[in-house]
Amino acid sequence: MAVSIGDQVRLLRAQPFLKSADPMPMLRPPDLVDLDEVGTVTALHHGETVAVRFSRGTFLLGTDVLAPIGDQASS
């Protein structure tokens, strides 16, 4: 999946843990992000990893566990 900064995405499946996108990343519990929650891509990292901002934090996720949001109407 090709993503760009500013794209809106959601998780495809629950994760066993979340990795924070802080300068010193930490493992966080998976219940911080709901499957139906929409996040915004804030940074592109090496490989197929992106930083996604959700309401409870910004996390590093692989593009293989993300789905783009079809209608990205501006608010």
Side-chain angles (χ1 to χ4, degrees), residues 8-10 36-39 67-72:
Q8 292 187 326
V9 295
R10 66 176 180 82
D36 59 347
E37 186 174 351
V38 175
I69 300 300
D71 182 9
Q72 295 188 9

Side-chain angles (χ1 to χ4, degrees), residues 45-63:
H45 291 270
H46 60 85
E48 296 291 317
T49 305
V50 296
V52 182
R53 176 177 290 135
F54 292 99
S55 63
R56 294 190 210 161
T58 303
F59 304 102
L60 298 174
L61 296 162
T63 57

